[in-house]
Amino acid sequence: MTTIPLERSMAKPSTDDMWLRDLYDAHWASMVRLATLLLGSSDHADEVVQDALVGMYRHRARLQGSPLGPYLRRAVVNGCRSVMRHRVVVLMHQQADEQHTAGADSGVLSAELNASVVAALRRLPRRQQEVLVLRYYSDLSEKEISEALGISQGAVKSHASRGIQGLRAIITKESIR
Amino acid sequence: MNDQFSDGEIEKALRESLRHEAALAEVPDSYDRVRHAAAQRRPRPWFTAVAVAASLAIGFGGATWGQSLLNTGTGSPIPGAVVASDLSVSTQPSRSSSPAPRAGATVTVTVTVTPGVAQSGFDEFPVGYDHANLSQLEQVNGHWAVVLDPLTVCRSSTDKPECAGLKDPIPNDSTTVNVSLKTYRVPLASSVVVQVLDAGAPPSQKPYLPVPLATKKWETPIEVVIAISGDNEVTSIRQYWRP
């Protein structure tokens, strides 16, 4: 009779483990970077990607034969949207509390932020940011972006065009100041 | 910058800025955390209530029954896990039980193990490790085999007993620790190909390269992720990429 710790038996790699491992190896780094850009910071980026991977792992039977990259990308975009929605609510509360304390510092901070194109990007509407990040960071086609965001290709084209115009307007405005 | 900048110039600046920003992003290696999360099942409040009520109603036996159901959610085993009832019926008959189990482990089950006989010329790789250093690819008695040194992944100095002595915080959130003084010569299952990364590049950027089946020795062992079948054959082996 031999006593075997249950925990060690649970750690034995399986085909499912390798499925997850492959997905992780293939997409983890690029998706965390994408999430970082969509969120505007690395806070929660890895958590969003982790949730997306875990969600796919739980539904892997349904994903048999489907391309996993686009599915994961869409899950990450959706996860980022959830985080951003939460942030908006938190920010609204913070702004209400701190309105009376906003002073000269905010002008200085704005000038620093506007020094980069990415900072200008953050000021665009959310959907335009998403389209521009997927287009210019992930190098996706209009069709791929439309699938990732769940919008039409025409809408992708429109958001991209408006996004670039918006960037130019922000950069021009800041350079005049 | 002003209106004289063309769309093309803005697009170029945006592309470069995004890539620069992305390159600065911290990408911790969190595979163990992801794997752990994937193995969990979402709790169901109504189910918990039913299980607790059932436990209270039918006493300790019910509590045990309820707990076992809670552990598996729908009653089906967690992927990659072996439930106690499975273990009492069958185990990996020929696997070694060393190295030492995690100190924090509290659940043990008693099973009958048939004394294992290793295939001639091969070693039985210890159960529970899916990371290893790969140092050799060779042929033993006409069968291809790899020489592996088991590693364990540590996320903090208190993660496992083997991780004690590491300094927190661990860079990139995790590191691997060699857990054995011994190396193991383990056979490759048929058609399994050793896969390595081209110049260590992340798999998202470059594909894995197959290592031809020929005697080979890595002067500097490479870290690999492996899967080993119950009959002690490597069924998958590929280089582990760490950022």
Side-chain angles (χ1 to χ4, degrees):
Chain A
M1 298 283 273
T2 306
T3 299
I4 293 179
L6 179 59
E7 184 173 322
R8 289 186 52 229
S9 299
M10 292 175 70
K12 182 177 172 292
S14 65
T15 307
D16 289 334
D17 289 335
M18 294 310 291
W19 185 92
L20 183 64
R21 179 84 232 184
D22 285 349
L23 193 62
Y24 176 94
D25 283 344
H27 299 290
W28 174 257
S30 61
M31 287 298 144
V32 170
R33 292 197 171 100
L34 173 63
T36 300
L37 292 176
L38 292 174
L39 294 171
S41 78
S42 58
D43 292 349
H44 304 296
D46 57 337
E47 290 166 25
V48 166
V49 182
Q50 173 180 315
D51 287 349
L53 284 172
V54 170
M56 288 179 70
Y57 180 82
R58 290 192 172 127
H59 299 108
R60 58 195 177 283
R62 273 196 272 148
L63 296 171
Q64 292 292 337
S66 306
L68 300 180
Y71 188 97
L72 177 61
R73 190 181 300 117
R74 185 163 184 169
V76 168
V77 169
N78 287 338
C80 289
R81 285 178 179 168
S82 293
V83 172
M84 293 305 290
R85 274 195 292 272
H86 177 70
R87 277 188 192 167
V88 167
V89 174
V90 172
L91 271 175
M92 282 167 64
H93 284 287
Q94 280 180 352
Q95 283 169 353
D97 291 343
E98 296 169 2
Q99 219 165 17
H100 64 285
T101 60
D105 282 351
S106 53
V108 177
L109 287 174
S110 295
E112 287 175 1
L113 284 175
N114 292 334
S116 80
V117 178
V118 174
L121 178 76
R122 299 279 163 248
R123 297 169 62 179
L124 296 178
R126 189 76 216 141
R127 189 55 64 88
Q128 290 178 16
Q129 288 186 40
E130 290 172 353
V131 168
L132 292 181
V133 167
L134 291 172
R135 177 74 190 88
Y136 295 102
Y137 170 67
S138 298
D139 281 331
L140 299 189
S141 66
E142 283 176 359
K143 182 172 182 292
E144 289 169 323
I145 296 172
S146 75
E147 286 166 359
L149 299 180
I151 58 178
S152 69
Q153 288 189 52
V156 171
K157 194 175 285 193
S158 168
H159 285 305
S161 171
R162 287 179 190 167
I164 293 295
Q165 288 171 29
L167 274 184
R168 181 191 285 115
I170 292 168
I171 291 166
T172 302
K173 188 178 171 187
E174 293 304 323
S175 66
I176 289 171
R177 275 187 182 178
Chain B
M1 290 195 214
N2 54 44
D3 252 348
Q4 68 188 0
F5 287 96
S6 67
D7 281 2
E9 286 169 319
I10 290 179
E11 287 168 2
K12 182 169 179 285
L14 178 60
R15 193 185 302 273
E16 287 172 358
S17 302
L18 286 171
R19 290 187 193 288
H20 178 70
E21 187 89 351
L24 295 176
E26 191 180 332
V27 185
D29 181 12
S30 308
Y31 179 69
D32 281 354
R33 198 183 72 199
V34 172
R35 183 177 177 229
H36 180 74
Q40 304 299 307
R41 284 191 181 272
R42 290 178 185 159
R44 301 178 182 188
W46 64 268
F47 195 81
T48 305
V50 169
V52 169
S55 299
L56 290 173
I58 55 181
F60 178 73
T64 307
W65 169 82
Q67 186 61 46
S68 68
L69 283 179
L70 278 174
N71 288 342
T72 57
T74 57
S76 59
I78 296 169
V82 180
V83 295
S85 58
D86 292 332
L87 284 171
S88 65
V89 175
S90 64
T91 64
Q92 308 301 323
S94 60
R95 310 298 300 274
S96 160
S97 61
S98 64
R102 181 174 167 172
T106 54
V107 182
T108 58
V109 290
T110 302
V111 294
T112 304
V113 176
T114 308
V117 179
Q119 288 175 269
S120 176
F122 298 120
D123 304 304
E124 292 169 2
F125 195 77
V127 177
Y129 295 101
D130 56 5
H131 285 70
N133 271 332
L134 166 67
S135 57
Q136 253 173 282
L137 175 61
E138 60 185 17
Q139 213 167 19
V140 179
N141 297 332
H143 202 121
W144 285 101
V146 284
V147 176
L148 300 171
D149 194 356
L151 304 171
T152 194
V153 177
C154 292
R155 283 169 290 158
S156 75
S157 62
T158 55
D159 202 10
K160 302 166 190 169
E162 298 94 328
C163 309
L166 293 175
K167 192 175 176 185
D168 291 321
I170 292 174
N172 291 325
D173 281 350
S174 74
T175 188
T176 48
V177 170
N178 193 328
V179 295
S180 172
L181 295 173
K182 176 181 182 333
T183 55
Y184 297 81
R185 183 170 284 102
V186 191
L188 289 176
S190 59
S191 76
V192 169
V193 178
V194 178
Q195 298 180 79
V196 296
L197 289 164
D198 188 9
S204 58
Q205 293 175 17
K206 290 184 180 177
Y208 287 97
L209 301 175
V211 176
L213 279 179
T215 301
K216 181 177 173 64
K217 187 170 185 176
W218 283 266
E219 292 304 327
T220 304
I222 58 171
E223 277 188 37
V224 289
V225 181
I226 51 173
I228 297 189
S229 66
D231 51 358
N232 195 48
E233 282 189 330
V234 175
T235 56
S236 171
I237 177 166
R238 58 171 47 171
Q239 188 172 359
Y240 175 55
W241 178 77
R242 63 168 70 240

